[in-house]
Amino acid sequence: MTPLQILQTKFGYSGFRLEQEAIINAVLQKKDTFVLMPTGGGKSLCYQIPALLFDGLTIVISPLIALMKDQVDALRVNGIEAAYLNSTQSFQEQDYVLGKIRSKELKLLYLAPEKLLKPESSFFKTITSFDISLIAIDEAHCISHWGHDFRPEYLMLAQLKHALPSVPFIALTATADRLTRKDILDKLELKNPITYLSSFNRPNIRYIVEPKRNSFEKLLTFLDKRKEESGIIYCLSRASTERLADDLTSAGYQALAYHAGMDRETRARHQEMFLRDEARIIVATIAFGMGIDKSNVRYVVHMDLPKNIESYYQETGRAGRDGVDSEALLFFTIADLVKMKRFVEIENNQEQTEVYLKKLNQMGTYGDLYYCRRKYLLNYFDEEAPDYCGNCDVCLTRLETFDGTIIAQKALSAVTRLNERVGMIYVIDFLRGSKSEKIREEHKQLKTFGIGNDLSKEAWKGFIHDLVQQGYLIKTDGMYPVLNLTDKSEDVLKGNVTVMLTKSKEHLDVVADGVENYDTDLFQKLKEVRRDLANAENVPAYIVLSDATLIELATYLPHNKDEFRQISGFGDIKIEKYGKHFWDVIAAYCREHDLGSRIQLKSPKRQRNTKSETANDTQRQTLGMFKLGHAISHIAETRNLTMGTIETHLAFFVQQGELPIEQIIPSEKVILIEKALGTSTGPGITPVKQQLGDACSYGEIRLVIAHREFLKEHVHSNVSSD
Ligand code: ADP
Ligand code: ZN
C-alpha cells in the first residue's frame, strides 16, 4: 500500500495536508527529519503512516501521559495495533505490552521518556533489542533549555540515538524559536536532518479582542450563541476560575473549574467530563491544556492577559484542531498589562525579568493592535503575512474608511503644540479639553485645547492608532512612549494630502453567529449517537469521529457505504463499526423531511469548501500555500511554476469570491489599477500596463480584473434579490 492509500483506508482522509506527504516520504527513506508544525497541523500522521509501512516497531516518545492514552485509543479505533508504556501502569500491564512487542503484534509503542532511565538499565536494553524501524520524538522542544518546557529526561534520547545508529529519528514540535530549533538538532545528534518548517498560521481560528469592560456580560452574549459547543476559558488566578465557573453555572451553563490547587481526583474528573462533552465549558488556569488533544474545542477565551505571545498562541491553538471554524477571544485592558508586570518578575534576576517584560509588552501590543492580528502573531514567529487576513476582528471591521483629514490635522497640531513630549492619553485628554489636573495649566491656555471635544476617547484612540499605522505619527519605544511627528506630518498640516481614516468599530458584532449550511438538528442527533458509541467504548467522543465529520454527515446526508466513504474521517474500519448507527439516524431524518442524498454537492476531492467545484488540484494547492502566508514568488519557486501561473490560480479564487483581493494586493494599489482600468482607452490589458508602467505587474492587473468580475456578479445578485 502507498502512504496515500493508508491515509484513505485506515484514517479516512482524502488527501495529505501540506508537507505531510514529503515528510512521510523522507521518513520512509530512513532519513532523520525535524518537523515544526503548529498544533492541529497533523504531526501524528507523519510517523503513524510510516509506522504502518515499516516491518518493525515504531516507538513514539511522548512526555504527556494523558495524551498517550488518547492517541493509542484513537489508533485502536481505526483498527491499528498500538500500546503505551509509562510509570502509571502495573508490572503485569507492562509485561503484557512487552509480550505483544515480542510476538510482533504491535506497530506503535508510545513510551514515556523517564522509562528509558540509563543505557545500563535492563529496560533500555530490552527496548533497544527489539526490531525497531523508527523513533518519533514528540514535543521535541522539551530537550532544550531554550524551550518553554525543558525536561531533563529528554536528554537521555541522545543515548537512544547512539544505541540505534541505523534507525531513523523524526523529531516533532509545535513551538520552537530559532535557538530552540537548533538546540533540538544538536542535542538529539540527528544526522543531516531534513527540516520541515510549516506555517504557524491557523486560518480557521478567528482572533478577536474585546475591551475588558463588563466582560462577564459580554462573555454571556458570546456563550449564548455557542450553547452546544465546547470551549476553554482561561483565567489568571485559581480563585477566579472557581468564581467564574460558579457564575456561569448560575447562568445556566455546564461549566467546570480546573486548576492545580484542586485535588487530583476532582481535577481528573473535570477534565474527563470536558473531554467527553459532558461539560461544555472548562474554566481554567494555564495548568489546563498541556496534552489536551480534544479536537472539537470551538472557542478559547482569555479573561486576563497572558504573559507572552508564545503562551497565548499555544492556548488559542487548542481551538479548532479539527479544522472547523473556531474563535479566540481575548478581553483586554491596559490595566492588566500593568498588573501582570508583577507576575513576570523573577526575583534577583534582572536580566531574565527584562526578557519577560519585553515579552509581556509584546502581548500588550497585540491587545491594542490596529492592524491585522494574525499578521502580528505570524510576524512574531518570524513569518511573513499579508496585511489583511479577513478573519480577525481588525480585518473584519476595517471595511469603512472616510476622509479624516481634519481629524488628522487636529491630532497632529495637538502633538506639535505639546512639543512632542507627551503620550497618547495626554494628547487625547488635551484634544477633548479635559478639566483634569493632569493637564498642565499652560496647556489649557493653548488655542488647540479642546478642539477635539466632539469625539469620544475611544474614537480618538482609534484614530491616533490609525495615524501611527499610516506613518503620520510615531510612538516612541520605552516605558513611557510619547507621540512624535514624522516626515509625512507636514503635508497633513499644510493640507497637501487627504488622510483616510477607519471608522471606529462596533465591538462584539464581529462575533458572528456562524453561518451553518448544515442542519443543526440532525447534527445534534448525530452527536448523541456518537456520545453513546463513545461511552460504550469508553473513549472521548471526538475519538470516535470529529465534529468536522459529523458536520459533513449532516451536510451531505450519505445514503450508502460508497457515499460514507466520501465523508472525510470515515475510514473502512469506522464505516464497518459505526456506519450503520449513523445511517439509521440520517435515514430517519431524510424520511421525515423528505430529503435525498446530497453527496453530489461534495467536490470529488472532498475539500471542505465546495463553493468552487471547478477549482482543480493545482489551483487548490496554490491557494493552500497562499493561505498559509507564503509569498507568490515563494509558491512559484517551490512549485516550480512561473509567478504568472500562480497569479492566474489566485485570480480564479478572487473571481469566485473565495479570496479577498486585499489579501494579495495592497488596497492603494488596487485603487490605482482600478482607476487605470476605468480610463483605459484600448482593448486588452496592455494599454493599462503601459499606463501604469513598472508600478504594477500584468498578474496584478489580471487579479484586479478578476476582483471586478466578482463584484459585478455579487452586486448584480444583490440587486436582483431586493
Ligand atoms: P498535531 O499533533 O500536529 O497537533 P494531530 O496530528 O493531532 O495534530 O492532527 C490534528 C487533527 O487533524 C486530527 O484530528 C487529525 O486526524 C487531523 N488530520 C491530520 N492530517 C489530516 C489530513 N491529511 N486530512 C484530514 N485531517 C487530518
Ligand atoms: Zn486579520
Side-chain angles (χ1 to χ4, degrees), residues 321-376:
R321 292 173 60 121
D322 51 8
V324 176
D325 289 343
S326 304
E327 275 142 322
L329 170 63
L330 165 69
F331 286 107
F332 176 72
T333 162
I334 290 279
D336 266 7
L337 190 59
V338 179
K339 185 170 89 184
M340 287 302 292
K341 291 197 170 151
R342 275 189 297 134
F343 290 92
V344 299
E345 212 161 295
I346 309 271
E347 232 173 281
N348 300 325
N349 191 341
Q350 190 53 32
E351 215 174 323
Q352 188 74 55
T353 303
E354 290 289 319
V355 174
Y356 288 166
L357 266 181
K358 180 169 177 209
K359 283 184 185 286
L360 175 62
N361 279 328
Q362 286 168 314
M363 189 65 229
T365 306
Y366 173 86
D368 216 8
L369 208 61
Y370 266 76
Y371 64 90
C372 176
R373 294 197 206 272
R374 188 178 312 271
K375 182 181 173 74
Y376 182 82

Side-chain angles (χ1 to χ4, degrees), residues 696-708:
C696 306
S697 68
Y698 276 105
E700 287 172 330
I701 299 170
R702 268 195 296 269
L703 282 162
V704 174
I705 294 176
H707 170 63
R708 280 160 58 114

Side-chain angles (χ1 to χ4, degrees), residues 7 13-17 20 37-45 71 138 293 295 321-322 546 568:
L7 179 79
Y13 298 129
S14 57
F16 283 110
R17 290 188 183 155
Q20 274 179 332
M37 212 186 252
T39 308
K43 285 185 286 298
S44 321
L45 288 181
Q71 290 202 300
D138 210 359
D293 198 11
S295 70
R321 292 173 60 121
D322 51 8
S546 73
S568 180

Side-chain angles (χ1 to χ4, degrees), residues 470-633:
Q470 297 190 47
Y472 292 118
L473 281 173
I474 197 167
K475 211 165 139 186
T476 59
D477 289 334
M479 271 300 234
Y480 303 101
V482 301
L483 289 174
N484 285 176
L485 300 175
T486 71
D487 302 346
K488 290 169 78 178
S489 305
E490 202 181 300
D491 274 341
V492 178
L493 289 167
K494 285 188 178 157
N496 293 343
V497 290
T498 308
V499 180
M500 298 304 286
L501 291 176
T502 308
K503 278 191 188 157
S504 55
K505 48 183 174 172
E506 290 293 325
H507 278 289
L508 264 192
D509 278 359
V510 294
V511 181
D513 293 278
V515 200
E516 285 107 7
N517 40 19
Y518 57 90
D519 199 300
T520 45
D521 272 358
L522 177 57
F523 180 59
Q524 289 312 327
K525 289 192 179 123
L526 296 173
K527 268 182 158 174
E528 283 161 26
V529 175
R530 177 177 66 176
R531 196 189 49 221
D532 293 345
L533 290 169
N535 286 344
E537 293 197 35
N538 201 25
V539 295
Y542 62 89
I543 280 186
V544 173
L545 287 172
S546 73
D547 276 14
T549 300
L550 296 193
I551 289 173
E552 286 211 357
L553 288 177
T555 308
Y556 299 113
L557 312 173
H559 270 54
N560 55 43
K561 233 187 209 176
D562 266 348
E563 296 188 353
F564 267 83
R565 209 164 272 132
Q566 291 182 55
I567 299 295
S568 180
F570 258 111
D572 288 348
I573 301 269
K574 284 190 181 173
I575 293 179
E576 285 308 323
K577 267 209 310 217
Y578 309 132
K580 169 108 179 46
H581 298 271
F582 289 99
W583 160 235
D584 287 346
V585 173
I586 294 171
Y589 185 85
C590 287
R591 267 196 308 276
E592 191 184 331
H593 295 87
D594 202 15
L595 294 169
S597 161
R598 299 195 198 119
I599 202 79
Q600 75 285 356
L601 294 177
K602 196 160 166 33
S603 59
K605 269 285 129 189
R606 302 187 198 174
Q607 297 293 348
R608 264 209 306 135
N609 201 335
T610 54
K611 235 189 230 162
S612 54
E613 275 169 80
T614 44
N616 61 31
D617 273 358
T618 176
Q619 287 170 327
R620 278 275 165 215
Q621 206 173 339
T622 295
L623 181 69
M625 289 184 76
F626 186 78
K627 286 208 163 160
L628 287 173
H630 295 297
I632 293 178
S633 55

Side-chain angles (χ1 to χ4, degrees), residues 136-160:
I137 317 280
D138 210 359
E139 313 287 344
H141 58 269
C142 293
I143 202 170
S144 171
H145 292 94
W146 303 110
H148 58 84
D149 189 23
F150 173 60
R151 292 174 189 240
E153 317 87 84
Y154 259 63
L155 293 173
M156 267 306 297
L157 298 174
Q159 305 290 339
L160 195 61

Side-chain angles (χ1 to χ4, degrees), residues 20 143 190 217 242 258 268 317 319-320 359 420 439 494 508 537 558 571 632 656 681 699:
Q20 274 179 332
I143 202 170
L190 296 186
E217 282 71 34
E242 297 198 357
Y258 185 103
K359 283 184 185 286
E420 308 179 52
I439 305 293
K494 285 188 178 157
L508 264 192
E537 293 197 35
I632 293 178
Q656 297 285 319
T681 44

